[in-house]
Amino acid sequence: MLILEGLSLEEKLQILSDAAKYDAACTSSGVDRQGARGTIGSASACGICHSFAADGRCISLLKILMTNECVFDCKYCINRKSNDVVRTSFTPEEICRLTMEFYRRNYIEGLFLSSGVAGSPNATMERLIETLYLLRNKYRFRGYIHVKGIPGASPDRVERLGFLADRMSVNLELPTGDSLRALAPHKTRQTILRPIRQIQQGMAQDRLLLPESGGWSRRQEEAFALPQVTSMPPLEGGLALEGHRDREDHKNRRIVSDLGSGILTTGYQLPQYSDLRHRGDLLASEQARFVPAGQSTQIIIGATPETDYQIVSVAEALYQKFDLKRVFYSAYVGINDDSALPAVGEKPPLMREHRLYQADWLLRFYGFRASELLDEARPNFNVLLDPKCDWAVRHLDHFPVEVNRADYYTLLRVPGIGVKSARRILQARRSSSLDFADLKKMGVVLKRAHYFITCKGKMMHRIRLEENVVTTCLVDQNRRQNWQWEHGQESYRQMSLFDDCKVERMPTVEDQLASVSGQF
Amino acid sequence: MVVRENVGLIGDRSPGDVTVFLCGPEPEDIFTAVYDAWASRLGHDNVRLEIDGPQRQIGLFCQYVSVVRDLEKAEKVSRSIARKISWEAYSGVYRAALSFEVDRADAIYRFLVVGFQVGADVIHRLQHPAVCRVFELSRKVGNETHLFLGFTRFAQWKNGVLFARMAPKCNVLPLVAPHFDDRMSGENWMIYDEIRHKAAVHPAGGSWFMVDTVDAGWEEWIQSMDDGQQWEDLWRTFVDHIVIEPRRNPGLQRSLLPLWYRKNMTEHQRTEKV
Ligand code: SF4
């Protein structure tokens, strides 16, 4: 391994940002924290984009590796042991100074620190802990920190790191254990899932210690536990995937049960509250929080043969069973010449990645289940139609729905009605019933929605609700949308960049009741 | 500001005439105009609010009244919006007042007519054109504010002061400054709106305030203060190296970061200052 000594800070930054860029996550969201005297920094739950790179990805955090040395040999990774690349490391001081000087100039919202495995997972974790400790305490940094957990690290190190960071992520990397074995010989499902489970448990206990802070999952549960008056199939609880119906085949069940809770009891306990104060967090003066912005993970798309159905099923299980905040999908970029991988220079499957983000959105905010979107007979997304339109044209018997009466989740199933517009409809129709012109003001995309709704009993145009008629029209619109997306003009923004802050707030119980009783 | 008509003349108006209240561009001006128009008791249909400026069109059959900014009146208006309608309505109206759209003053007036009738629920009545308009304006201002929380760039002066320059379309500085006040309480910083010629100034450990910067010499002075660029170069290095080449997509970048916003952003200032 070629380790260069005496590189300038600029040279190190070139190498270690190059090496970090394939991680898709760059959001700074999930936690609100005000500034405080004697410190620098704050955090905004919505996340803040500071710039956009020439590939259109948001730059929010200083995304770097601590070192690109690595003793592992993951085939898809540029830093793998067997690659002949220049290796270097930042010192903890260098990372702190870069972060602070960038932050003061408002270049960044915080730090996203990841690392190759230098020496051993535990030794790497110690360096990460040392760096964040310095940043929080010596430099009094109160901004956002996202840190990577190293697979195979010991629970106490995961815990110490978790008290210094806002978000922690351990990448799942590949959707199935088989693929992992094939491409990442040093990683196993278990070394990856154990810290994920531990972080989840730590966060849950943290929430118990601080009862006033409602986690995302709790809010999600509330929102999902609504009276079932819709024509939709009822949503199942967190274990939906284990109770899968017979039509689910074995393979898929195995993929998902791989994530099952049995093998993953870590028995992890957060220390008592009184112990938290010496955890070294600058924020200890208030209350040290454990991974307050939640955890995320990343799945590489297109390096292995899994179907979209398998991937969204895994994502669903991660949301439901592991309480993940985000799953990121990263279209595989061919960098290593390896017979086990797609060829170098092959175009990354960006449209597929886009469809997965759209589906992910439907899982998290629209009350869809993976098995409604895809199944074994249709295991991949339609390239011509986005997943929601695709679902709607296959379920025309659910439509049209009356906008002035339908409840929140029914509205959400209408193509062209989003979370915000559905919420606005619920509020506006309390004072008077709505017309198509009103819907436009609420942000409804009538071009798409009009096939599926009535206002005061009338459709906008007289059309036959037939699958092929509607499909043809929607495919045509989607083609334009796809074109715009490919040329960087549309929609990508809503799906994957701007984080969820604005849609996370579910409608209040009151909104729900109003719609359920249908009295307005 | 020249008073074109005396308020006293309003009594002489003939039926069907509209009285236009001309005010300045800041929220305080608009709120004063709301106060005056309301207090004139001419009837909501017979008054109109306009922002004074070159783009304004002179209407026939209109009488013009120039509104003189009065902080007391403005405060009365804002207080009664917050109390009698709701805090949310107030923050929406305030943000709408920071928009650049010329119809903002009148839209706010119409919004308030509905608001004082129906109370807090006004913000949900998007069917109503005035409510919809204020909502739209306020959302635009809110969106631009959010952009500037990220896009504002500070440079460090020789004396350690952090200085940022912005050219926002809406008057977002009053909404952006509190964010940095909270985040960087220990720094001396200044954010300069080069279009409206005003700056938010924050002394370390103190609270921020607004200054007018119309005096001659200001531009030269700030340029003389500029300092080294070590960190600026490092930042450009980072922004260049974070790109994944096979994903390069300048169209997407342009739609998310329009050229308009780039001119004050360090990573897009490459050639000057060598
Ligand atoms: S552990 Fe694997 S993915 Fe991570 S840096 Fe090393 S080779 Fe790359």
Side-chain angles (χ1 to χ4, degrees), chain A residues 10 18 21 35 37 41-42 50-52 54-55 57 103-106 109 353 427-428 432 441 488 493, chain B residues 124 127 149 152-154 156 182-183 187 205 234 237 241-244 247 249 251-253 255 267:
Chain A
E10 167 137 18
D18 257 332
K21 69 185 168 197
R37 298 274 138 171
S42 59
H50 284 246
S51 195
F52 290 91
D55 53 14
R57 296 189 308 155
Y103 193 83
R104 291 176 66 228
R105 289 162 176 78
N106 205 41
E109 196 57 20
E353 180 193 274
Q427 285 167 331
S432 66
K441 292 180 199 154
R493 165 194 303 257
Chain B
H124 297 142
Q127 313 90 307
L149 300 187
T152 302
R153 292 287 176 271
F154 290 94
Q156 184 162 308
D182 175 59
R183 172 167 290 196
E187 301 273 359
L234 283 170
T237 299
H241 280 263
I242 208 71
V243 180
I244 297 179
R247 298 185 68 125
N249 189 343
L252 180 59
Q253 185 192 26
S255 75
E267 58 271 38

Side-chain angles (χ1 to χ4, degrees), chain A residues 19 65 67-81 87 114-117 150-151 173 184 186-187:
Chain A
L65 296 193
T67 177
N68 65 342
E69 288 172 44
C70 193
V71 297
F72 284 9
D73 201 36
C74 310
K75 292 201 164 60
Y76 47 82
C77 175
I78 189 159
N79 306 312
R80 65 182 188 176
K81 188 173 65 181
R87 311 280 173 165
S114 179
S115 183
V117 184
I150 306 294
E173 311 286 17
H186 297 91
K187 291 178 182 168

Side-chain angles (χ1 to χ4, degrees), chain A residues 10 34 47 71 73 96 100 136 262 287 378 381 458 509:
Chain A
E10 167 137 18
Q34 289 205 308
V71 297
D73 201 36
C96 292
M100 296 307 290
R136 289 291 193 209
Q287 282 154 335
R378 302 175 54 261
F381 287 113
K458 289 205 187 70
V509 175

